Amino acid sequence: MVKKHTAHESNDRVYGSQDEGTSPGGGWLALKAVQEHMFRQQVPFVGNRLMLSMNKHTGFKCPSCAWPDPVRPAMAEFCENGAKAVAWEATRKRVHPAFFEQHTVTELSGWSDHELESQGRLTHPMRYNIGTDKYEAISWEDAFNEIGEELRSYEDRWRVQLYTSGHAPNESAFMFQLFGRMYGINNFPDCSNMCHETTTVSLPGSLGVGKATTTLDDFDHTDAVFIFGQNTGTNSPRMMGNLHELVNRGGAVVTFNPLREKALVRFADPQSPKDMLKPAGTTISSQYHQVRIGGDIAAIQGMCKVVIEADDRARRNGDRRVLDHEFIEAHTHGFDAYADHCRALDWDRIERHSGLTRAAIEQAAEVYMTSERVICCWGMGITQQKHGGDGVQQIVNLLLLRGNIGRRGAGACPVRGHSNVQGDRTVGIYQKPTEQFLSQLDKVFDIHSPRRHGDDVAQCCESIMNGGVDAFIGLGGNFFRAIPDIDRVAEQTLNKLKMTVQISTKLNRSHLIHGKKAFILPCLARTEKDIQAGVLQTVTLEDGMSNVNGSTGQLEPASTHLRSEVAIIAGIARATLPPHTKVDWEWLSEDYSRIRDRIEAVFPEMFRDYNARVGEPGGFHLYNAARERVWETDSGRANFLFPGQTLDSSMTTPKADYFQLITTRGHDQFNTTVYSLDDRYRDVYGTRMVVMMNPADIKRLGLEEGNLIEFRAVAEDGIKRHASGFRVMPYDVPEGCAAAYYPETNGLIPIANRDERSNTIAAKSVPVTIHLMSTEQVEQQTGLLATA
């Protein structure tokens, strides 16, 4: 039963770009933005035609986010961000060897990230010439041979790092981890370490699994969706369609987010004619609670306190109970201790740490208690916190109170970012492999994999800074721009590592932060035809809800010199590993179904009949024990877990000496890829150098709108980290908090500022002080910008 919910705002601040008078998220502006990007990349006709093949059974999967596809997709089953990603890689612009002849690496290092990637697609394998400071064309065979010779020369192979982007499909990720383990290492830092590793590590303690317990079907049967720390309209816009449908049938969306995101306030679905005729779109969040940065644990435990105490009153009065005691008694462990913990919480402390009033938290809890089926979603606003793992477990505790795990229309839904970041982990990209996995891998390939655990992203960065890395190979992504402490890591990388290898589609910052030997190996994009041994190949990907689907490129490759990720990995492996190896890399790379057969052999239960099932419309869903209320935990039950400290004591309070900075991406951005310098969801145009601040904080610091400021990081290690040239912008953000774009602010984030369990960098809670730039600093900054 769906209870009709009306909109309620827990905060009365309305200024900045989130004023209720502004346009909604989505709508005509989204359609306009798509066409602008198609024209900008010179593919208006090809791009629009290509979009009709995206997320279809015989087409290709979106290269952007990991939101699932419906079994019966709409004719236009894509969103604005997906269209931008397609235009970006389908561009007609090219970076030929002649481009590198005209520009030194030193010169290119002065270009912005947007300028670098805007040059277009890479066309030839390139090798760095340290004498000329330029990249020069090289043949594939020479590149493989030189890389292999270098890798074979290392006495300590654990000084090699193999990074994987979440864009890599299952087949190339599986080949990459196989190569690494045959080489003798488990150093597999990957982009999951930067985003949802907190979920992967913390969720199993509560439920026994590290993935979502929901499917897309559950969104059609839920009564309420609670969203924690996720900018849905920017990061996973297709999810907005599901929220839109929920609201239209009378369900509730309750949002907890320091930033007031436009699409979660109001949204016009571009696929809804009715919505497109309404200037204001549809109100999405019936409640929007602007929790203070780092205050989610307090807010969630406050809700749990309300729910538990409401059940206590119902018991005393003989009324219908609020909690699902049958579920709690049959399926959970630790409830009594957690209930006592919540009852003992002091409301003054909850309000101070959450930044919300008791009344606001009670209003959110009321929606939870009156909704029969509830889904809780969370993003990097939770996982990229110092106590992100605790936050994940508190969300699960809230769900467990009323049996909202293992029921249709209910469950835990971490919203993953990149399109196959979850699949890469499933097929073996992990620095801490289990003995069960390694034993099966060894059996299938007749090898002996190392058992010692390897490095994640944070450990990889620390190893680079400590001089403990000889070579870095990146399978996609833009590692040296996405990481924290980027200035310190780059200083130790540049010309100090013996070798860097980047498998890429476009020029990016990581190609300019290189080792003494450096290679750029250009690969096919998701949208392009991958033909091996004369046959068009299909790759497979796992979305954020454990569905595995095929993806078949449609476009002719940007260059005849491009190779697939699988073929590139196979080429490196053949040139590096002993010739007597029993793995026939070339044979595997000629037919990707052979790779899937090997994946099935390593994971026989999970990937049963892999090739047959992935060929079916909608693909197949990987088994999730918690969804069936089977708890693969130490207790054999779902666990109520809570942190040792009562609440997060690391956060600031209003009027403190420092701010908590949240680093965020713009609406025209995907990870480190910046499509344009505009962010229409925040009314920022032509620049990314802004700091979003509460007007009261601006006044308190004696600043004015438009002032240029410098950030200085607050860190225990005493290392000076600063970033300057950010223009003050009044914005609807809680006092004591500020927001700025990443990766421009990544240099402020200490490597040590991370979640203790998962090592995920706390990029959504960076302690900083804010200082008005002097006239001399402004003049210097202006001069540097003019020179660039």
Side-chain angles (χ1 to χ4, degrees):
M1 176 181 177
V2 177
K3 178 180 178 180
K4 185 71 176 179
H5 294 272
T6 56
H8 165 77
E9 302 297 339
S10 69
N11 305 84
D12 57 6
R13 299 187 297 270
V14 282
Y15 43 75
S17 68
Q18 303 304 317
D19 190 322
E20 294 301 318
T22 59
S23 60
W28 293 107
L29 291 178
L31 297 180
K32 180 174 179 286
V34 167
Q35 296 312 312
E36 287 176 347
H37 280 277
M38 292 295 181
F39 276 98
R40 195 173 296 151
Q41 300 305 322
Q42 304 170 8
V43 289
F45 303 110
V46 171
N48 281 290
R49 185 170 64 249
L50 186 64
M51 298 307 299
L52 298 178
S53 298
M54 189 158 75
N55 298 323
K56 303 294 175 57
H57 173 53
T58 57
F60 66 95
K61 301 296 292 181
C62 178
S64 186
C65 80
W67 192 250
D69 304 325
V71 177
R72 289 180 287 277
M75 182 179 72
E77 191 60 54
F78 61 86
C79 68
E80 177 184 347
N81 277 18
K84 292 174 185 174
V86 167
W88 198 243
E89 66 177 40
T91 180
R92 291 186 182 276
K93 301 176 183 179
R94 300 289 183 265
V95 181
H96 295 289
F99 171 86
F100 292 102
E101 292 176 6
Q102 299 169 7
H103 304 286
T104 65
V105 168
T106 300
E107 177 195 346
L108 292 173
S109 297
W111 292 22
S112 71
D113 299 295
H114 177 60
E115 289 172 314
L116 290 171
E117 294 201 32
S118 291
Q119 301 309 306
R121 292 287 302 281
L122 296 162
T123 61
H124 291 68
M126 309 296 294
R127 174 183 55 192
Y128 180 67
N129 184 329
I130 196 169
T132 62
D133 190 32
K134 293 180 179 180
Y135 277 101
E136 299 171 348
I138 184 175
S139 72
W140 279 105
E141 289 311 306
D142 284 347
F144 290 149
N145 288 335
E146 290 187 24
I147 293 168
E149 182 180 9
E150 181 71 20
L151 291 174
R152 291 196 307 274
S153 72
Y154 300 147
E155 189 171 323
D156 183 358
R157 295 191 169 186
W158 284 91
R159 293 173 61 88
V160 175
Q161 299 283 343
L162 303 180
Y163 173 74
T164 313
S165 161
H167 185 275
N170 286 347
E171 290 74 13
S172 57
F174 183 77
M175 293 276 276
F176 201 46
Q177 65 82 31
L178 177 62
F179 162 67
R181 287 175 173 122
M182 292 182 67
Y183 182 69
I185 60 175
N186 282 317
N187 290 333
F188 289 105
D190 74 303
C191 64
S192 180
N193 301 148
M194 303 187 200
C195 53
H196 264 285
E197 185 78 1
T198 309
T199 294
T200 306
V201 169
S202 301
L203 203 57
S206 296
L207 301 177
V209 299
K211 301 180 180 182
T213 67
T214 54
T215 66
L216 201 59
D217 174 76
D218 289 314
F219 281 79
D220 294 332
H221 297 89
T222 192
D223 300 321
V225 172
F226 282 66
I227 299 175
F228 300 92
Q230 192 222 357
N231 294 332
T232 311
T234 291
N235 298 343
S236 48
R238 282 196 297 149
M239 179 180 170
M240 292 303 308
N242 300 100
L243 300 180
H244 184 271
E245 293 174 3
L246 169 63
V247 169
N248 282 341
R249 68 172 189 268
V253 176
V254 179
T255 298
F256 291 80
N257 194 329
L259 299 179
R260 203 167 159 80
E261 202 222 23
K262 179 176 288 194
L264 283 173
V265 176
R266 292 195 311 274
F267 181 73
D269 189 345
Q271 301 201 42
S272 167
K274 180 180 178 181
D275 252 30
M276 297 299 278
L277 294 174
K278 295 191 300 184
T282 296
T283 298
I284 298 298
S285 295
S286 54
Q287 295 182 27
Y288 202 116
H289 301 288
Q290 288 180 262
V291 64
R292 296 190 61 250
I293 294 172
D296 301 275
I297 292 175
I300 296 165
Q301 290 192 353
M303 278 194 290
C304 291
K305 175 181 177 70
V306 173
V307 175
I308 290 166
E309 291 180 349
D311 186 76
D312 291 342
R313 289 192 297 274
R315 175 179 51 79
R316 291 193 299 268
N317 297 333
D319 297 332
R320 182 180 177 182
R321 302 295 290 272
V322 177
L323 303 182
D324 188 339
H325 286 280
E326 182 178 349
F327 171 83
I328 290 171
E329 292 171 7
H331 293 283
T332 73
H333 170 76
F335 167 73
D336 290 336
Y338 183 67
D340 289 342
H341 166 78
C342 291
R343 293 185 186 108
L345 291 175
D346 177 74
W347 272 110
D348 287 341
R349 188 166 172 78
I350 291 173
E351 290 181 320
R352 185 168 68 254
H353 282 265
S354 69
L356 303 176
T357 65
R358 175 176 178 174
I361 293 174
E362 289 175 338
Q363 287 157 353
E366 178 66 22
V367 173
Y368 181 74
M369 290 187 290
T370 56
S371 300
E372 185 177 345
R373 301 176 182 86
V374 173
I375 293 173
C376 284
C377 301
W378 65 92
M380 287 184 284
I382 294 291
T383 60
Q384 289 186 331
Q385 294 281 347
K386 285 201 70 171
H387 300 287
D390 295 332
V392 169
Q393 292 177 343
Q394 300 322 294
I395 293 171
V396 174
N397 290 344
L398 179 65
L399 290 166
L400 293 177
L401 291 177
R402 286 176 51 80
N404 279 306
I405 299 288
R407 298 171 56 199
R408 192 180 194 187
C413 182
V415 182
R416 305 281 182 168
H418 221 150
S419 56
N420 198 46
V421 62
Q422 186 163 294
D424 290 349
R425 177 58 52 83
T426 298
V427 299
I429 297 293
Y430 191 36
Q431 75 278 2
K432 297 180 180 180
T434 65
E435 177 58 34
Q436 180 183 6
F437 162 68
L438 291 179
S439 296
Q440 192 66 16
L441 186 72
D442 289 353
K443 177 181 177 182
V444 170
F445 289 99
D446 193 17
I447 61 175
H448 181 72
S449 301
R451 264 52 181 177
R452 168 182 157 189
H453 287 173
D455 290 345
D456 58 23
V457 164
Q459 293 163 332
C460 172
C461 291
E462 288 175 333
S463 294
I464 290 174
M465 289 190 293
N466 295 330
V469 176
D470 285 334
F472 178 96
I473 301 178
L475 178 58
N478 189 3
F479 179 85
F480 290 108
R481 190 54 171 148
I483 55 174
D485 251 335
I486 182 172
D487 299 327
R488 297 176 63 218
V489 176
E491 182 180 355
Q492 294 302 318
T493 300
L494 196 58
N495 289 327
K496 293 182 180 179
L497 264 67
K498 293 180 180 178
M499 182 175 70
T500 53
V501 179
Q502 302 289 349
I503 302 171
S504 311
T505 57
K506 283 195 167 187
L507 182 66
N508 64 42
R509 184 70 54 189
S510 291
H511 302 136
L512 313 178
I513 302 173
H514 57 82
K516 294 177 182 177
K517 294 181 180 179
F519 298 85
I520 301 174
L521 305 182
C523 63
L524 294 170
R526 182 80 56 80
T527 52
E528 293 173 324
K529 295 177 181 177
D530 182 353
I531 297 177
Q532 304 294 329
V535 178
L536 180 64
Q537 302 295 318
T538 292
V539 296
T540 56
L541 307 109
E542 179 185 345
D543 63 35
M545 296 188 200
S546 303
N547 304 297
V548 179
N549 283 278
S551 176
T552 308
Q554 306 292 303
L555 292 178
E556 294 300 322
S559 166
T560 57
H561 298 277
L562 301 183
R563 294 197 180 183
S564 71
E565 290 180 349
V566 167
I568 292 172
I569 295 164
I572 293 174
R574 289 198 309 272
T576 303
L577 301 175
H580 60 269
T581 176
K582 296 183 179 180
V583 176
D584 190 336
W585 296 94
E586 186 171 0
W587 181 80
L588 285 172
S589 64
E590 287 176 348
D591 184 347
Y592 297 173
S593 67
R594 296 168 182 168
I595 302 174
R596 290 190 286 274
D597 283 340
R598 298 306 182 276
I599 295 175
E600 180 181 347
V602 175
F603 306 97
E605 295 183 6
M606 189 182 306
F607 287 98
R608 174 183 51 82
D609 297 330
Y610 194 173
N611 279 307
R613 289 197 293 163
V614 82
E616 299 172 359
F620 62 95
H621 185 261
L622 299 177
Y623 174 73
N624 185 298
R627 184 171 172 80
E628 307 299 326
R629 292 190 170 177
V630 175
W631 316 106
E632 297 178 347
T633 62
D634 291 340
S635 68
R637 291 169 169 247
N639 294 312
F640 282 92
L641 301 173
F642 55 99
Q645 71 276 12
T646 304
L647 292 173
D648 184 352
S649 58
S650 68
M651 58 181 295
T652 61
T653 55
K655 300 183 180 179
D657 293 335
Y658 63 93
F659 288 78
Q660 287 289 359
L661 174 70
I662 183 171
T663 69
T664 188
R665 71 188 195 193
H667 191 61
D668 268 7
Q669 179 181 357
F670 184 74
N671 293 344
T672 59
T673 296
V674 178
Y675 300 126
S676 83
L677 301 181
D678 298 340
D679 183 352
R680 75 171 192 277
Y681 273 23
R682 299 186 178 98
D683 285 349
V684 177
Y685 299 97
T687 183
R688 293 171 54 79
M689 298 298 288
V690 298
V691 52
M692 294 164 251
M693 298 176 63
N694 186 292
D697 287 327
I698 296 174
K699 182 178 180 180
R700 176 169 61 87
L701 294 183
L703 300 174
E704 295 179 356
E705 180 177 357
N707 282 162
L708 291 180
I709 63 94
E710 178 182 74
F711 290 117
R712 297 174 190 169
V714 178
E716 296 178 356
D717 58 16
I719 295 173
K720 293 182 179 180
R721 299 175 179 87
H722 58 88
S724 59
F726 294 84
R727 196 169 298 278
V728 172
M729 174 181 173
Y731 201 79
D732 196 350
V733 61
E735 289 185 58
C737 304
Y741 295 117
Y742 91 95
E744 287 82 356
T745 48
N746 281 17
L748 295 167
I749 309 171
I751 289 288
N753 190 42
R754 61 200 197 214
D755 177 68
E756 294 178 359
R757 299 182 208 174
S758 65
N759 273 349
T760 302
I761 304 300
K764 297 297 183 283
S765 184
V766 186
V768 297
T769 55
I770 294 175
H771 306 268
L772 177 67
M773 292 176 65
S774 67
T775 303
E776 292 77 15
Q777 285 178 306
V778 172
E779 289 176 351
Q780 183 181 18
Q781 184 87 23
T782 304
L784 289 173
L785 291 173
T787 302

